[in-house]
Amino acid sequence: MNASVFFQQLINGMSLGSLYALLAIGYTMVYGILRFINFAHSDIFMVGAYFAFFSIVIFRIPWPIAAILSIGLTALVGMAIDRVAYRPVRDAPRISALITAVGVSSFLENLGLVTVGARPKAFESPSFMSKLFHIGDAAITGVAIWVPVITLGFLIVMMYIVYKTKVGMAMRAVSTDIDATRLMGVDVDKVISYTFALGSALAAVGGILWACKYPKISPLMGVYPGWKAFTAAVVGGIGSIPGAMIGGFIIGLIEVMTVAISPGLSGYRDGVIFLVLVIFLLLRPTGILGETLKEKV
Amino acid sequence: MSDKSRKTFLMIIFLCVLFILVWVSDKFLDEYTMRVIRTGLIYIIAAISYNLINGIAGQFSLGPNGFMALGGYMVALLMLPLEQKKFVWFLKPLIWPFNSFSFTKAFFPLAIFFGGMAGALGALVVGFPTLRLRGDYLAIATFGFSQIIIVLANNLISVTNGALGIKGVPEYANIYWCLAWAIITVLFTTNLANSSYGRAMKSIRDDEIAAESMGISIFKHKLLAFVVSGFFAGVSGGLMTSLITTISPSLFSFTMTFNLLIIIVLGGLGSITGSVITAFAFAILSELLRFVESPINLGPIYIPGIAGMRMLVFSFLLVVLMIFYRRGIFGEKELSWDWVLSRFGSKNHQGVKVCPGKTEHF
Amino acid sequence: MSWKNGAFLALDKVSLNFGGLLAVSDFDFILRQGELVGLIGPNGAGKTTVFNIITGQYEPVRGRVFFKGQDITGWRPDRVTCAGIARTFQNMRLFGGLTVLDNVLVSRHSKLKSSVLAAAFNFPGYIKEEREAKIKAMGLLDRLGLADLAHMRAGNLPYGQQRRVEIARALAADPKVLLLDEPAAGMNPEETIRLMEFISGVRNEFGLTIFLIEHDMKLVMGICERIHVIDYGISIAEGTPKEIQDDPKVISAYLGEEACDYS
Ligand SMILES: Nc1ncnc2c1ncn2[C@@H]1O[C@H](COP(=O)(O)OP(=O)(O)O)[C@@H](O)[C@H]1O
Ligand SMILES: [Mg+2]
């Protein structure tokens, strides 16, 4: 592998990684607050892509408006799922909440299959995404550059919300100690609702960008990205937002580099990520930035 | 007659009746119905194995389809006749030792046992790194593991023949073998669950911290539940492979796990009786529900089949169950001879003698 | 460490923090065989955390724990229990889905010699062990006045009875040292007096060494030979009940708490 190919793959890895990061944040935020894996998050990502598909390809709404509309609608879907499915099982044993999440995930996937069909749909990405860039010897597609740039923009907005606004402070308080926060008079359910909205909005951004990068969308498109993003959240340290970002980039780079270094392994690209997960669980279960939580006895 | 021998007696009678019933139905029912019954029995094995880890030990696994696949491939590799093996692996030769021998029909139960061992070994490998951790990592790790099995099945052509799968596995999983393995699974798991080991597993489910403080080795017992569960998952995968005579990576996809999840939740997490009944009902129901996915042609009206409709209904059912009917049909209750005896006949029946008398309350 | 000679259970300058909060700091403590010692202190003083360090729930960041001369720091809780230290929990942790009898039997499991296969196939050796465990458990339940409830689901019992099941469950582990975390919490005065008698009774009967956290001063002063006072994770006083009662530091620690209550 020469330098320019390496550079190209580096950009590709960052690009893929930034999508995982967007998705990983939703997992990590919900886990941080509710200590539960929102299996449906990967399907929210798919829902976001379909909203964009319908508004752009079917209803011919201009790109920027369509994107904002889809992000908003996906945020509402996320909130609705929390309200309808997760809130009733909040105080049930943890396994009930997990089973519910698996059920919601499967529901969304099959709702997709029933309504839009299993056949992948062609997505129209905006023209600036398909322009080629030449940097030295390397030719890089616009998508590979724009995806991380747009992602970065959204991450900054998200960081601002979480670390600088009152809602964000409430989110962090709830994730540190949900009972104490409730005692201080914070409406915890509302904060959780906002968390789902924010996580789902980011998932929608991820879904739309994913559709630009791989312009065939299908109801099952979220399964593998979702699973890898969760691995990214674990690698970064579950519960930690900066950790999710770092984890996302690491997973993206590992995946791209595995295939780049040894094309024979391309059939195993998903397997490699599993290996990373197991290695982390064995050697550093708290991830890169996570801290050990001591359960109160 | 003592209580214990009475129960043994009832058990023998019950098994005899069951056997006669099966023999009669094998004689008089058509091939299609018998297939549904055999599928139901295999689902029973898979569901009980899954309930052991989820309902009794309380550890949320999403990997039974992976363990079933391991059992399925093992049985396919052992049972496929040698000439058929040459025919199937035309892209790449089959690896040693499977390319040099095949089991004859008489060794079918042994092949199923090896299928179980493959599942158990898989469970050991996945459980070892993940069961040490508290929390929900198990769910995601087992999910990942079952995905890996599918990735490997697609890529390890010299073992699995890749996406084309393995065709021509002899159909030795007749009703008697299915029934025998189902009975073994029910009896073994029930006994295990009611034993001191089962109590330890349930204590972990109810409160891990307290269990550990009462001297229970959390890791050891989770791993135990996981490996036993993997064994029976492998058995059911092996039987299923023999029943439908082919195996390919798509046979044991995540949908299988999802179906099992519905079964054990509906039957009641932790209830073996519940799993038996709902697993059997599920096999019948999903045959009946097949029509929603196939096109319906009513003369002038033609309704095209809707792919995914069945799963959509099941997913909806699962969520509704979790919200409104979390305990399922049986809760954690079991149908036992104790219950039957106390209901019909023998008075003053008690499992353990309670000694009243010098009870000083403070 | 000559001062620790003769100690059955000893904590040597143990410290633990949760984030920035120093929950236990340089805590020194010894328990001699057969003693009944109380640990008191205001809410949040770190009493339960001391128990959690002894039983291995938390590993101290500094300091060591010794039991019968052996360093048990960092042992997992199940190993500590098998070594002979059993406990109850302040906010009870019964196995809610199991019967009262099964709750107690769980503590016997680590003594079981039969293998899984022997248990699953009901081998005679296992049946015998199981029967003996049941007899032992029923005996304990009887001793605590719970025999009639043996087949009730533990989660359905009223508070006071759950506390007693917790004690029975801890005793079933055959401990040498029993750690009781606020055993009288939620009991009425009459029940508390019975509990006091019971604690002294089992101690003599089983030759136990007991370390007990309690808010009820009457109980602590009534049965403990020695009392240890902790505040903000620091050991502030130690002595006989009489000495503790008159100690100005203890009085101010408790007055401080009362002042907080009224503010
Ligand atoms: N797992 C934990 N995580 C964070 N803080 C804890 C944890 N356990 C205890 N604490 C804190 O440590 C302090 C001591 O608690 P504890 O030992 O339970 O007090 P006590 O039993 O004396 O009432 C309290 O401020 C409590 O909030
Ligand atoms: Mg306390």
Side-chain angles (χ1 to χ4, degrees):
Chain A
M1 190 161 33
N2 64 32
S4 77
V5 174
F6 178 78
F7 180 68
Q8 208 168 336
Q9 298 297 352
L10 194 69
I11 298 283
N12 281 339
M14 298 289 277
S15 172
L16 185 61
S18 61
L19 293 176
Y20 290 153
L22 278 173
L23 205 45
I25 288 168
Y27 281 113
T28 231
M29 284 201 303
V30 169
Y31 194 94
I33 290 181
L34 299 175
R35 301 275 179 276
F36 118 98
I37 305 169
N38 179 14
F39 284 99
H41 194 59
S42 58
D43 306 297
I44 301 263
F45 166 92
M46 173 272 291
V47 168
Y50 270 97
F51 277 140
F53 169 80
F54 282 115
S55 19
I56 294 159
V57 180
I58 309 285
F59 296 109
R60 292 282 155 204
I61 298 171
W63 240 100
I65 300 173
I68 292 169
L69 192 68
S70 315
I71 294 168
L73 283 174
T74 314
L76 286 180
V77 171
M79 284 168 91
I81 288 174
D82 170 56
R83 180 67 196 84
V84 174
Y86 296 160
R87 201 185 289 179
V89 295
R90 203 94 88 206
D91 296 322
R94 196 177 292 175
I95 199 165
S96 307
L98 285 169
I99 293 173
T100 309
V102 171
V104 172
S105 165
S106 172
F107 181 79
L108 290 177
E109 284 165 20
N110 288 290
L111 190 66
L113 285 175
V114 167
T115 51
V116 300
R119 205 147 35 103
K121 297 253 188 299
F123 192 80
E124 285 174 21
S125 48
S127 53
F128 66 89
M129 286 279 190
S130 42
K131 227 172 88 188
L132 268 186
F133 286 84
H134 293 275
I135 302 173
D137 295 340
I140 292 161
T141 57
V143 174
I145 307 265
W146 282 115
V147 165
V149 170
I150 295 171
T151 301
L152 205 66
F154 276 99
L155 290 184
I156 291 168
V157 173
M158 192 269 320
M159 292 293 260
Y160 177 81
I161 294 175
V162 173
Y163 290 99
K164 291 277 183 264
T165 64
K166 236 173 134 175
V167 177
M169 202 170 83
M171 285 176 187
R172 283 179 296 132
V174 170
S175 85
T176 317
D177 192 335
I178 192 162
D179 295 320
T181 314
R182 187 178 284 125
L183 287 178
M184 288 189 302
V186 176
D187 184 348
V188 169
D189 280 332
K190 210 161 165 184
V191 176
I192 293 173
S193 204
Y194 288 146
T195 310
F196 272 91
L198 188 57
S200 304
L202 291 178
V205 175
I208 297 169
L209 290 175
W210 187 277
C212 293
K213 199 167 156 60
Y214 307 101
K216 282 248 180 280
I217 64 171
S218 78
L220 299 180
M221 65 183 276
V223 175
Y224 275 93
W227 188 66
K228 288 173 192 167
F230 185 83
T231 304
V234 171
V235 166
I238 195 125
S240 155
I241 289 175
M245 298 185 200
I246 296 171
F249 285 110
I250 292 177
I251 295 295
L253 280 173
I254 290 177
E255 187 177 333
V256 168
M257 288 301 171
T258 308
V259 182
I261 290 168
S262 168
L265 285 179
S266 68
Y268 293 100
R269 57 195 296 170
D270 304 324
V272 170
I273 303 304
F274 176 71
L275 219 61
V276 172
L277 177 66
V278 168
I279 290 171
F280 260 88
L281 291 181
L282 274 174
L283 301 180
R284 198 173 159 77
T286 54
I288 296 170
L289 294 184
E291 45 191 308
T292 330
L293 295 166
K294 292 193 187 80
E295 199 167 341
K296 254 190 182 163
V297 178
Chain B
M1 215 178 342
S2 84
D3 208 57
K4 189 154 176 287
S5 54
R6 196 195 321 240
K7 272 190 246 171
T8 318
F9 180 68
L10 279 170
M11 195 69 195
I12 291 168
I13 294 204
F14 176 74
L15 289 180
C16 289
V17 169
L18 203 61
F19 182 82
I20 293 169
L21 213 65
V22 163
W23 185 76
V24 170
S25 37
D26 196 24
K27 274 267 168 316
F28 295 102
L29 292 179
D30 60 300
E31 171 64 12
Y32 173 76
T33 314
M34 286 316 286
R35 256 187 107 76
V36 176
I37 293 178
R38 282 190 285 163
T39 312
L41 290 169
I42 296 172
Y43 266 126
I44 287 178
I45 302 171
I48 289 177
S49 114
Y50 194 33
N51 207 350
L52 177 65
I53 188 74
N54 273 18
I56 290 170
Q59 307 302 307
F60 191 43
S61 155
L62 287 174
N65 60 318
F67 304 127
M68 288 173 79
L70 288 178
Y73 275 109
M74 180 55 102
V75 169
L77 287 171
L78 290 174
M79 293 311 299
L80 201 69
L82 270 182
E83 59 272 29
Q84 180 72 9
K85 281 181 178 171
K86 288 198 194 79
F87 177 70
V88 167
W89 276 269
F90 63 89
L91 286 172
K92 263 187 187 177
L94 176 60
I95 52 151
W96 187 86
F98 297 110
N99 62 359
S100 54
F101 76 98
S102 281
F103 279 9
T104 55
K105 187 171 180 180
F107 287 101
F108 178 65
L110 191 66
I112 295 293
F113 179 80
F114 279 132
M117 291 312 274
L121 196 68
L124 193 69
V125 170
V126 187
F128 205 80
T130 48
L131 290 168
R132 280 182 193 285
L133 308 162
R134 282 198 180 136
D136 314 315
Y137 289 125
L138 184 67
I140 208 78
T142 45
F143 177 74
F145 163 76
S146 55
Q147 301 297 315
I148 294 310
I149 293 288
I150 293 172
V151 168
L152 289 177
N154 271 313
N155 287 283
L156 289 178
I157 296 184
S158 56
V159 183
T160 64
N161 198 34
L164 294 175
I166 303 169
K167 294 187 178 62
V169 182
E171 192 184 340
Y172 295 149
N174 60 22
I175 184 78
Y176 298 104
W177 282 127
C178 292
L179 181 69
W181 278 104
I183 289 172
I184 291 172
T185 310
V186 171
L187 291 183
F188 185 90
T189 314
T190 308
N191 263 350
L192 180 65
N194 291 336
S195 78
S196 190
Y197 287 90
R199 223 158 27 222
M201 290 171 194
K202 291 177 198 161
S203 76
I204 293 171
R205 170 195 68 192
D206 282 0
D207 191 327
E208 205 166 309
I209 289 175
E212 201 173 22
S213 291
M214 298 307 133
I216 305 293
S217 163
I218 303 286
F219 177 65
K220 193 178 124 192
H221 288 89
K222 280 185 187 174
L223 198 61
L224 177 66
F226 211 54
V227 168
V228 173
S229 169
F231 177 83
F232 287 113
V235 165
S236 67
L239 287 170
M240 193 164 286
T241 302
S242 174
L243 174 76
I244 55 185
T245 71
T246 70
I247 182 168
S248 68
S250 60
L251 177 61
F252 297 108
S253 67
F254 186 71
T255 308
M256 180 63 77
T257 291
F258 191 82
N259 290 344
L260 294 175
L261 193 58
I262 299 250
I263 290 172
I264 65 171
V265 166
L266 186 59
L269 279 177
S271 167
I272 294 171
T273 315
S275 288
V276 170
I277 290 170
T278 45
F280 205 77
F282 186 89
I284 296 168
L285 198 72
S286 57
E287 280 306 314
L288 294 179
L289 277 178
R290 211 173 266 286
F291 77 89
V292 288
E293 291 199 354
S294 55
I296 304 171
N297 205 343
L298 302 167
I301 314 160
Y302 177 80
I303 307 165
I306 309 167
M309 199 62 191
R310 241 189 328 173
M311 284 298 283
L312 186 67
V313 173
F314 285 151
S315 319
F316 184 73
L317 183 70
L318 184 63
V319 175
V320 170
L321 274 176
M322 284 332 286
I323 296 174
F324 297 107
Y325 200 57
R326 204 167 297 143
R327 298 180 48 74
I329 297 172
F330 279 81
E332 281 162 39
K333 291 189 197 65
E334 300 289 358
L335 187 63
S336 66
W337 292 126
D338 284 335
W339 184 83
V340 174
L341 286 171
S342 67
R343 212 76 217 273
F344 312 99
S346 101
K347 289 145 238 126
N348 67 39
H349 173 81
Q350 276 164 332
V352 178
K353 294 275 174 300
V354 180
C355 27
K358 52 160 199 155
T359 30
E360 37 173 304
H361 287 277
F362 59 72
Chain C
M1 287 177 301
S2 57
W3 63 273
K4 290 214 164 76
N5 286 346
F8 201 45
L9 177 71
L11 298 182
D12 182 22
K13 296 219 180 321
V14 168
S15 302
L16 181 66
N17 56 306
F18 297 109
L21 176 84
L22 207 54
V24 172
S25 143
D26 281 338
F27 192 79
D28 264 331
F29 169 77
I30 62 168
L31 194 60
R32 291 182 203 86
Q33 187 156 16
E35 267 188 318
L36 202 172
V37 177
L39 179 62
I40 64 171
N43 260 327
K47 306 179 293 293
T48 300
T49 306
V50 168
F51 270 25
N52 285 333
I53 291 172
I54 296 173
T55 56
Q57 240 82 40
Y58 301 153
E59 196 176 337
V61 287
R62 262 175 293 119
R64 318 231 50 95
V65 184
F66 296 92
F67 178 51
K68 294 197 281 192
Q70 193 173 19
D71 188 346
I72 61 165
T73 324
W75 283 19
R76 299 221 46 101
D78 52 319
R79 199 167 160 212
V80 174
T81 305
C82 293
I85 302 176
R87 71 175 293 178
T88 64
F89 294 94
Q90 178 182 353
N91 27 14
M92 290 169 288
R93 287 177 165 272
L94 289 180
F95 308 119
L98 302 187
T99 63
V100 169
L101 177 63
D102 279 349
N103 264 273
V104 177
L105 283 171
V106 166
S107 292
R108 301 299 304 168
H109 181 68
S110 59
K111 312 277 186 288
L112 191 76
K113 289 186 198 72
S114 301
S115 70
V116 195
L117 291 181
F121 290 117
N122 274 333
F123 283 2
Y126 166 74
I127 303 236
K128 185 161 165 282
E129 276 194 283
E130 178 80 357
R131 192 168 51 231
E132 283 163 3
K134 276 191 180 154
I135 290 169
K136 165 121 190 164
M138 282 311 296
L140 274 170
L141 288 178
D142 194 35
R143 186 76 179 72
L144 276 133
L146 294 164
D148 295 339
L149 308 173
H151 297 285
M152 295 268 285
R153 261 175 75 105
N156 297 346
L157 296 181
Y159 206 76
Q161 286 175 340
Q162 289 202 16
R163 285 236 172 266
R164 280 189 273 158
V165 178
E166 277 244 338
I167 296 174
R169 189 176 68 171
L171 285 173
D174 282 344
K176 301 280 177 295
V177 175
L178 182 62
L179 308 180
L180 298 171
D181 197 343
E182 306 202 10
M187 286 187 179
N188 60 37
E190 194 198 343
E191 278 181 315
T192 306
I193 290 171
R194 289 232 183 88
L195 178 71
M196 278 170 64
E197 288 163 1
F198 175 78
I199 291 173
S200 323
V202 286
R203 172 190 172 208
N204 297 333
E205 190 178 327
F206 297 98
L208 285 174
T209 307
I210 294 178
F211 190 24
L212 160 127
I213 295 174
E214 193 41 74
H215 263 308
D216 191 315
M217 279 305 152
K218 218 163 95 210
L219 191 149
V220 181
M221 297 295 167
I223 61 173
C224 292
E225 284 137 20
R226 217 152 44 83
I227 291 173
H228 221 90
V229 191
I230 183 172
D231 194 17
Y232 293 110
I234 298 165
S235 166
I236 57 169
E238 196 237 304
T240 60
K242 186 85 195 61
E243 290 165 359
I244 294 298
Q245 249 164 345
D246 301 337
D247 193 312
K249 274 189 290 189
V250 178
I251 293 165
S252 81
Y254 273 88
L255 281 180
E257 192 192 28
E258 305 232 312
C260 281
D261 281 350
Y262 292 114
S263 65

